[in-house]
Every structure is written in C-alpha cells, then in structure tokens.
C-alpha cells in the first residue's frame, strides 16, 4: 500500500472537526513498506525502541497517517509536516500552533481528530477480557460511578467502565494541561446517549469542553472531545 488510508468517521461535533479511524497493517515492515515512507528519521528511531513489532506499527502507523492527513490540510508533502510540543508537552504542528490534532491507539485500531479552529481530544480503548475494573477504580471513577456500576451485571459493568474511561481521557486530552486532580474527579456515568454529560459539578478547566461517544469496532470504546470556543474567539 502507498500509505495507510484512514477511514473517515461520522460524529456529532462541530463540522470543522474531522475524525478518522486507522486499521493497522501488522504484517508490514517499518523498514521497507511504502506505508511508512513519510516517517522522519527521529520517528523511525522512536519506533525502533519498541520491543514488540505491534507497538512499533501502532506508533509508526498513527504518525504516518497523521502526516498524510495534515499534509492535505497544509497542502505540503507528508514528509514536510513538522511537529513541536507546547508548554505542557502536548504535540502540535510547528507550522501552525492554531491547527490542532490528537491521536489515540490500542489493539488493531487508532483514532485521529483534526481541527483548524479548536482544540480536540480522542481516546479509544480495547476491552480486555477478564479485566478487573475495580483494580483501578480509585484512579479513574467517581464514588457515585462505582456505586452505579456495582448495580449492573458483569457485561454492562465492563462496557460502561470503558465508556467512562475513554470519555474522561478525551476530555482531559482536550484541555492540554489536563485536570490536576485526576480522572476520579470527573463523573460521566450513567451514560444516557452519545452526548457526554459531566455530573456532580463541572471543573473549571472543563467548562469549555464538550464530548461525544462515537461508534467503535466490536470490543472497543471510543470518544471525541472538543473546545466549544474556537481559537479565534479566545483572548
């Protein structure tokens, strides 16, 4: 394949946000596959540090697809796209700090969100068979969410936990700096529909952020979030 072709995904957010799914070619080699030809030398070195081939492909595939998508917006080659980091260490375009993107990957799939107008965040998680969500509940769930989950059956508990996890991660990634107090101080359960509703109060750094759960492959949960105020309206 000449490059990894991301799949466009529908969402209920602002029309300036484009959302894409990546399906990773685990049978491809980062060294000689055209799918990874646009990676920089630094990116190849970073990919080479992964011990597992699958992890290297996830990183390299996500970065290659991101380069191709951003190149279309900037009208440059994928190799010409340059990245930098903001004051919080969040990746951004060196060519345009006002042009925002965010990525996430797990299992066989990744997500990319791009907007020329506002900050965006995404998260996708693969459901792990036999995973004990209670083991990390103190770090990820509000006490009211734990109480609500305990009243559900085992299958619903697992699905709802991952819904909560991806929603909180997407929200936090959108703020840039994230919420200092931790994910357990955000409450998004119970879920009623695709729109993420923050319950038990909205932290100050989340007042300008909205989010929606999106359709994900079987066995995955995913969410996209965005700032409601465009860059041009901020002071």
């Amino acid at each position: 394949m000449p490059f990894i072709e991301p799949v466009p995904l529908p969402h209920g957010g602002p029309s300036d946000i484009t959302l894409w799914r990546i399906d990773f070619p685990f049978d491809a080699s980062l060294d000689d596959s055209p799918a990874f030809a646009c990676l920089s030398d630094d990116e190849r070195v970073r990919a080479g540090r992964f011990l597992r081939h699958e992890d290297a492909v996830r990183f390299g595939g996500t970065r290659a697809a991101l380069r191709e998508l951003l190149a279309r917006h900037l009208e440059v080659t994928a190799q010409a796209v340059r990245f930098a980091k903001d004051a919080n260490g969040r990746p951004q375009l060196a060519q345009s700090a006002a042009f925002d993107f965010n990525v996430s990957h797990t299992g066989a799939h990744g997500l990319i969100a791009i907007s020329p107008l506002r900050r965006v965040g995404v998260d996708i998680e693969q459901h792990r068979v036999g995973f004990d969500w209670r083991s990390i509940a103190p770090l990820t769930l509000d006490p009211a969410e734990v109480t609500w989950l305990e009243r559900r059956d085992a299958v619903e508990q697992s699905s709802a936990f991952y819904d909560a996890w991806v929603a909180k991660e997407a929200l936090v990634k959108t703020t840039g700096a994230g919420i200092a107090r931790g994910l357990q101080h955000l409450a998004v359960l119970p879920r009623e529909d695709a729109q993420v509703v923050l319950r038990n109060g909205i932290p100050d750094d989340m007042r300008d952020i909205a989010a929606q759960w999106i359709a994900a492959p079987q066995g995955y949960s995913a969410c996209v979030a965005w700032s409601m105020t465009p860059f041009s309206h901020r002071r």
Side-chain angles (χ1 to χ4, degrees), residues 85-183:
K85 291 186 177 180
D86 65 15
N88 297 307
R90 189 176 187 269
Q92 64 181 23
L93 265 177
Q95 287 102 320
S96 174
F99 204 110
D100 200 47
F101 63 86
N102 197 240
V103 306
S104 178
H105 52 75
T106 183
H109 306 286
L111 286 180
I112 296 175
I114 298 174
S115 173
L117 298 180
R118 68 191 74 240
R119 193 177 287 273
V120 289
V122 289
D123 195 54
I124 182 170
E125 296 292 340
Q126 183 177 24
H127 300 188
R128 286 183 277 169
V129 177
F131 175 67
D132 180 13
W133 61 267
R134 295 174 184 83
S135 65
I136 62 171
L139 299 176
T140 56
L141 298 177
D142 177 88
E145 293 178 310
V146 175
T147 299
W148 181 82
L149 279 173
E150 292 286 7
R151 296 172 182 160
R152 317 267 78 81
D153 63 36
V155 173
E156 188 177 359
Q157 283 180 1
S158 178
S159 178
F161 171 79
Y162 280 105
D163 280 346
W165 189 350
V166 296
K168 296 181 185 189
E169 287 286 355
L171 286 164
V172 166
K173 291 170 74 176
T174 305
T175 67
I179 181 171
R181 295 176 299 161
L183 300 182

Side-chain angles (χ1 to χ4, degrees), residues 36-57:
F36 306 104
C38 65
L39 294 179
S40 69
D41 291 342
D42 288 345
E43 288 165 339
R44 292 183 182 280
V45 170
R46 183 174 172 185
R49 294 192 183 119
F50 290 99
L51 297 179
R52 300 195 310 164
H53 174 71
E54 292 83 358
D55 293 330
V57 169

Side-chain angles (χ1 to χ4, degrees), residues 9-21:
L9 298 178
H11 63 84
S15 59
D16 56 272
I17 299 172
T18 54
L19 186 64
W20 308 84
R21 188 190 77 233

Side-chain angles (χ1 to χ4, degrees), residues 10 12 29 147 188 220:
S29 167
T147 299
V188 299
Y220 292 77

